[in-house]
Amino acid sequence: MQLAGKKVVVVGGSSGIGLATAELARHAGADVIIASRNAEKLDAVAGRLKVAAIPADVTDDASVENLFRRSGQVDHVVVTAAQLRTGPFKTVPMADVRSTFEGKFWGAWRVARVAEFRTGGSLTLVSGFLSIRPRPNSAIISAANAALESLSRALALELAPVRVNCVSPGIIDTPIRAAMPEAARQDMLARAAAGLPVGRVGQGEDVAHQIVACMTNGFMTGSTIYLDGGALVV
Ligand SMILES: NC(=O)c1ccc[n+]([C@@H]2O[C@H](COP(=O)([O-])OP(=O)(O)OC[C@H]3O[C@@H](n4cnc5c(N)ncnc54)[C@H](OP(=O)(O)O)[C@@H]3O)[C@@H](O)[C@H]2O)c1
């Protein structure tokens, strides 16, 4: 029970990578709080995992303050919350790219500013491999991910002795692509899997294992871990 007696807050914990992280941390003995916007979905997941739930929106200062007022001092915080809007650089509406940055980057910033950590605590941000392997029509995601990776290094200095790391996933099969038609989604995942040295796309649990390692390895800070099934070497 690597996390026995530790309080872990997973912001974005009602789905995908955050949900898998909450589940793994719970299995490792932690008292887990999950946070996200949709209270009904959040409560359903919390009930299933037997963890606590606090609704929060990372785009709202007061909401993030309320989350950490209610959670009190914590040992480990993970931020996976993001809702991404993107499109061709020349035509994607400014409102969409601003909202992507507002949630993914400024959301993590707000959480980092407000959370109060116990001795030995850590903050783990989640970026994405587009930071260093850009693709067409996703410039704003590349930029937000790179900014998060840079922020985590800066905060490893400024928030020390709190340890701050960033996990940068490749393609992970989560509900993040739920809006795609199912056949197109499966086709995209199959093509991605075929192009990777590991021969498969990632699962939420793959990333969760790395995030829990960031929590528990007391020598790890200022690191960005690229966890992508080998996407960076093909
Ligand atoms: N899946 C991939 O292939 C992949 C690849 C690279 C990087 N990533 C990154 O990994 C992170 C997690 O992705 P995922 O695949 O786990 O996504 P997901 O399944 O869509 O989960 C996103 C979570 O964030 C919450 N959320 C969204 N906006 C929020 C806000 N403003 N305030 C609070 N919570 C919010 C969502 O719940 P509500 O909607 O109820 O708020 C949900 O719990 C994201 O940063 C994503 O960019 C994912």
Side-chain angles (χ1 to χ4, degrees):
M1 299 287 254
Q2 270 185 308
L3 291 171
K6 303 295 184 191
K7 193 190 288 186
V8 172
V9 177
V10 184
V11 187
S14 69
S15 177
I17 293 168
L19 191 160
T21 302
E23 191 164 26
L24 193 61
R26 175 86 180 86
H27 280 302
D31 294 324
V32 177
I33 299 168
I34 58 173
S36 61
R37 294 167 302 179
N38 182 327
E40 201 179 322
K41 185 169 98 182
L42 185 69
D43 286 341
V45 171
R48 186 158 60 76
L49 300 190
K50 299 190 174 26
V51 302
I54 302 177
D57 181 347
V58 297
T59 67
D60 182 306
D61 290 356
S63 180
V64 175
E65 283 161 16
N66 176 61
L67 167 63
F68 287 99
R69 194 167 38 246
R70 287 181 62 185
S71 66
Q73 281 206 322
V74 296
D75 294 287
H76 304 290
V77 175
V78 181
V79 188
T80 63
Q83 186 170 40
L84 308 173
R85 295 197 178 93
T86 187
F89 180 76
K90 291 280 194 180
T91 56
V92 64
M94 282 307 293
D96 285 2
V97 292
R98 283 187 197 283
S99 95
T100 295
F101 225 85
E102 192 62 50
K104 180 130 190 180
F105 179 77
W106 293 114
W109 179 288
R110 286 185 185 90
V111 168
R113 250 168 51 130
V114 173
E116 292 289 341
F117 292 87
R118 293 174 179 154
T119 304
S122 78
L123 170 67
T124 306
L125 306 181
V126 174
S127 58
F129 82 136
L130 292 177
S131 62
I132 54 175
R133 284 294 293 270
R135 292 286 184 271
N137 305 333
S138 356
I140 191 60
I141 303 177
S142 293
N145 288 342
L148 277 176
E149 292 170 13
S150 180
L151 177 66
S152 70
R153 287 190 289 275
L155 295 184
L157 275 186
E158 199 160 342
L159 297 184
V162 177
R163 295 178 298 101
V164 185
N165 296 290
C166 190
V167 175
S168 185
I171 293 181
I172 312 297
D173 185 8
T174 71
I176 204 167
R177 297 180 190 85
M180 282 178 81
E182 184 56 15
R185 194 181 76 86
Q186 291 297 347
D187 184 55
M188 188 280 275
L189 292 174
R191 278 186 288 110
L196 290 173
V198 296
R200 66 174 180 90
V201 297
Q203 299 297 321
E205 297 73 16
D206 294 317
V207 188
H209 277 287
Q210 184 56 56
I211 293 171
V212 169
C214 292
M215 294 180 200
T216 54
N217 186 339
F219 196 57
M220 182 181 277
T221 195
S223 296
T224 296
I225 295 93
Y226 296 97
L227 191 71
D228 51 27
L232 298 185
V233 295
V234 293

